[in-house]
Amino acid sequence: MRYAAHEILVAPARASAGIGRLCAGIALTVALFVMLGVLWSGLLPLLFGAEGWARIRPGIAAATTPVGVLITLFNFALLVAALALALRVVHRRGLLSLVGPLPLAAGQFARAGLALVVLYGVVALVPMPEALRPVRGLGLGTWLSVLPLALVGLFCQVFAEEVAFRGYLQSQLAARFASPLVWMGLPALGFGLLHFDSATYGASGWLVMLWAAGFGLAAADLTARFGTLGPATALHFVNNFSAILVAAPKGQFDGLALYVYPFALGDVGAVTAILPVDIVMLLCAWLAIRLALRG
């Protein structure tokens, strides 16, 4: 009975729960996302001009400049558009059916987000080892000036991943398979694999992937337990706000960070040292949301 509320999201998926439909939906979403990405890439040089684009482009791949981070974050809006089109064509359902009732989802997002802000605020008071302590990144004035736009972009990125993995994949699989090992496990594994990047992270790539898969399981549980994407989106949003806008690893998605850690994610020693802290933090955040939303 702990996942009884999941039926809110699973019921709209039952009419098109076949694996063939799911594979077709995934394939069409990917194809549309690539197509929209190509069109968007061709439009960007026109928007910024030849000289402006030449200055901006180097900072996009690793998101090491403010504009680079913003462009990368807003790219995820294309995934939302692609998924919305694929849902209509393949499953005859709307995007909001992946979210749950909006008033309920918004209320859960707010309550979960407030609990996490308190948790992260308390943890921020705990001093870190000097070797891992972040240094100042972006100037406070610049950071505050771009913060509103950054928050919108960050929500685009977070919502796109949640609606794809916990909304679409999880609900369609749950409509076809009864076991949580399938409808929780497969999307979590896919989410982990999405974050595997040996070219960027080197030997740390597997550690990053395992953490992301664990995050996927926590988000899947919250989605099934409370029946909307609100709690998982709050977990994802506050986590990424901390990791992208507050303190980011050096040289990777640090263009909008107020502080920068003195190590890159390719530094196996540093990642191994901080990973247990991140795992404990994830567990505490998951429990904090459950306590905030119980009853």
Side-chain angles (χ1 to χ4, degrees):
M1 294 297 293
R2 66 175 182 241
Y3 293 145
H6 198 207
E7 183 63 18
I8 296 173
L9 298 176
V10 176
R14 295 196 190 282
S16 58
I19 294 302
R21 287 277 192 97
L22 177 59
C23 291
I26 294 172
L28 183 56
T29 299
V30 172
L32 289 171
F33 182 44
V34 171
M35 182 185 70
L36 291 172
V38 171
L39 293 174
W40 178 238
S41 297
L43 183 61
L44 285 173
L46 300 178
L47 293 175
F48 289 102
E51 293 184 4
W53 181 242
R55 292 193 302 270
I56 291 169
R57 187 174 181 180
I60 294 178
T64 54
T65 63
V67 176
V69 175
L70 290 173
I71 289 175
T72 302
L73 291 175
F74 278 103
N75 279 346
F76 283 87
L78 304 178
L79 176 58
V80 177
L83 180 57
L85 290 171
L87 278 171
R88 286 294 183 187
V89 172
V90 177
H91 298 282
R92 301 293 191 269
R93 57 186 297 203
L95 186 70
L96 292 182
S97 69
L98 305 179
V99 178
L102 282 182
L104 179 60
Q108 290 177 344
F109 176 89
R111 289 162 61 192
L114 179 60
L116 293 180
V117 168
V118 173
L119 173 65
Y120 275 71
V122 171
V123 172
L125 299 176
V126 179
M128 294 187 67
E130 188 172 350
L132 301 177
R133 194 171 299 163
V135 297
R136 195 56 178 267
L138 206 61
L140 181 59
T142 302
W143 188 80
L144 289 173
S145 68
V146 298
L147 184 59
L149 191 59
L151 290 175
V152 176
L154 186 65
F155 187 82
C156 284
Q157 182 249 328
V158 165
F159 181 72
E161 293 187 352
E162 287 306 314
V163 80
F165 285 92
R166 262 64 69 180
Y168 179 50
L169 290 180
Q170 182 167 319
S171 66
Q172 289 296 143
L173 287 171
R176 178 65 178 80
F177 301 98
S179 174
L181 292 175
V182 176
W183 53 261
M184 289 178 66
L186 290 181
L189 177 61
F191 190 69
L193 290 172
L194 179 70
H195 289 77
F196 179 75
D197 185 356
S198 59
T200 301
Y201 305 145
S204 301
W206 290 103
L207 297 175
V208 175
M209 186 198 79
L210 289 173
W211 183 91
F215 182 95
L217 287 175
D221 173 81
L222 293 173
T223 300
R225 192 177 295 272
F226 297 108
T228 80
L229 286 189
T233 304
L235 175 67
H236 205 155
F237 186 83
V238 175
N239 176 81
N240 284 22
F241 178 85
S242 174
I244 294 174
L245 299 183
V246 177
K250 181 174 63 178
Q252 184 66 31
F253 242 103
D254 60 350
L256 275 178
L258 189 60
Y259 294 92
V260 178
Y261 288 110
F263 61 85
L265 286 179
D267 186 336
V268 179
V271 172
T272 302
I274 206 168
L275 186 63
V277 177
D278 283 346
I279 292 173
V280 171
M281 192 65 192
L282 174 60
L283 288 172
C284 290
W286 172 70
L287 286 171
I289 291 175
R290 287 187 55 183
L291 289 173
L293 298 182
R294 66 179 179 179

